[in-house]
């Protein structure tokens, strides 16, 4: 049986509706939101993180274990375990190597017009094994997670429709170029992490 790249895109429910609602309520009005950065070559040919709203127009709220907020520590610990277990399940299904650790957890907020252009999540400068996106809502228009594949007939794409609490896992390699399409109406909330 012929395998397709889409066979390596895995989805599962990671959060229930109550958890999704609680997370959005907790972080929606947080003062910590900042524009997300991307890694770019600077004029000195040194890789550095920069805000580039032409490439990635989204705000980020990092979840961290060393937060002063007990609520945030709870969410970080809960999501760390849930993400790790989901990645182990994904690795077992495909016979891949288990993840050793994960790299941060960020909540993302895409306002109307927000997007992230096609990109890959791993490079020689920052190796990642698996990418994980967890949708927190779907009461907006646009904002699909789109994968781009080179096919016999040119470029093909595969869209994942958001469902609150659903996580999507895929290999972070160059084969899985993806984008967050522009939000047409409303606000899109999601969570991202990467396993190593």
């Amino acid at each position: 049986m012929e395998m397709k790249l889409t066979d390596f895109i895995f989805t599962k429910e990671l959060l229930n509706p109550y958890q999704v609602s609680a997370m959005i309520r907790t972080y929606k009005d947080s003062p910590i939101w900042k524009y997300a950065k991307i890694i770019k070559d600077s004029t000195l040919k040194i890789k550095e993180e920069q805000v580039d709203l032409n490439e990635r127009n989204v705000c980020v709220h990092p979840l961290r274990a060393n937060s002063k907020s007990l609520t945030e520590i709870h969410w970080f610990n809960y999501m760390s375990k849930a993400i790790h277990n989901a990645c182990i399940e994904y690795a077992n299904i495909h016979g891949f190597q288990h993840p050793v650790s994960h790299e941060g957890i960020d909540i993302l907020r895409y306002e109307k017009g927000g997007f992230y252009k096609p990109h890959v999540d791993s490079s020689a400068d920052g190796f990642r094994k698996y990418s994980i996106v967890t949708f927190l809502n779907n009461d907006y228009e646009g904002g699909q997670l789109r994968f781009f594949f080179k096919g016999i007939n040119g470029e093909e794409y595969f869209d994942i429709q958001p469902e609150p609490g659903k996580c999507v896992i895929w290999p972070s390699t160059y084969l899985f170029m993806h984008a967050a399409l522009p939000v047409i109406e409303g606000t899109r909330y999601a969570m991202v992490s990467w396993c190593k």
Side-chain angles (χ1 to χ4, degrees):
M1 185 168 97
E2 183 180 330
M3 295 287 287
K4 295 180 281 190
L5 287 175
T6 53
D7 294 333
F8 294 96
I9 299 172
F10 173 77
T11 62
K12 79 171 279 159
E13 186 176 314
L14 202 63
L15 296 169
N16 66 42
Y18 173 78
Q19 292 167 319
V20 167
S21 177
M23 186 166 278
I24 291 174
R25 274 195 324 271
T26 300
Y27 293 104
K28 185 167 112 175
D29 298 321
S30 169
I32 299 175
W33 291 102
K34 293 183 179 168
Y35 280 110
K37 296 179 179 182
I38 59 172
I39 297 175
K40 296 187 75 158
D41 286 333
S42 73
T43 54
L44 301 174
K45 299 296 181 198
I46 299 169
K47 304 272 188 192
E48 63 179 35
E49 290 189 356
Q50 301 174 4
V51 171
D52 183 345
L53 298 180
N54 293 315
E55 291 290 321
R56 186 181 191 195
N57 186 346
V58 59
C59 289
V60 62
H61 187 301
L63 286 182
R64 298 295 177 252
N66 60 354
S67 172
K68 293 178 182 173
S69 162
L70 291 178
T71 301
E72 187 160 318
I73 292 169
H74 160 77
W75 280 121
F76 178 84
N77 290 333
Y78 181 86
M79 290 309 303
S80 293
K81 184 71 172 167
I83 288 167
H84 185 76
N85 288 342
C87 285
I88 287 174
E89 181 180 349
Y90 175 76
N92 287 341
I93 288 169
H94 293 292
F96 294 159
Q97 183 180 11
H98 283 191
V100 176
S101 63
H102 73 81
E103 175 190 332
I105 302 170
D106 293 329
I107 302 173
L108 304 178
R109 182 180 70 197
Y110 292 81
E111 302 284 353
K112 183 176 178 179
F115 64 90
Y116 193 173
K117 285 189 175 177
H119 63 283
V120 293
D121 290 338
S122 190
S123 69
D125 298 323
F127 174 75
R128 294 166 169 165
K129 198 176 287 182
Y130 310 129
S131 299
I132 305 98
V133 168
T134 305
F135 297 109
L136 297 179
N137 68 325
N138 64 355
D139 56 345
Y140 55 88
E141 290 181 49
Q144 296 92 335
L145 173 59
R146 175 169 286 178
F147 290 90
F148 300 88
F149 304 115
K150 299 284 185 196
I152 295 170
N153 302 320
E155 189 161 82
E156 300 172 2
Y157 64 87
F158 177 72
D159 286 351
I160 302 280
Q161 297 301 324
E163 294 175 27
K166 177 169 82 175
C167 85
V168 185
I169 303 175
W170 67 91
S172 300
T173 72
Y174 70 94
L175 294 172
F176 292 86
M177 181 172 283
H178 58 284
L181 298 185
V183 172
I184 297 165
E185 200 63 53
T187 302
R188 174 191 195 260
Y189 290 97
M191 212 175 336
V192 292
S193 187
W194 305 269
C195 284
K196 295 180 174 184

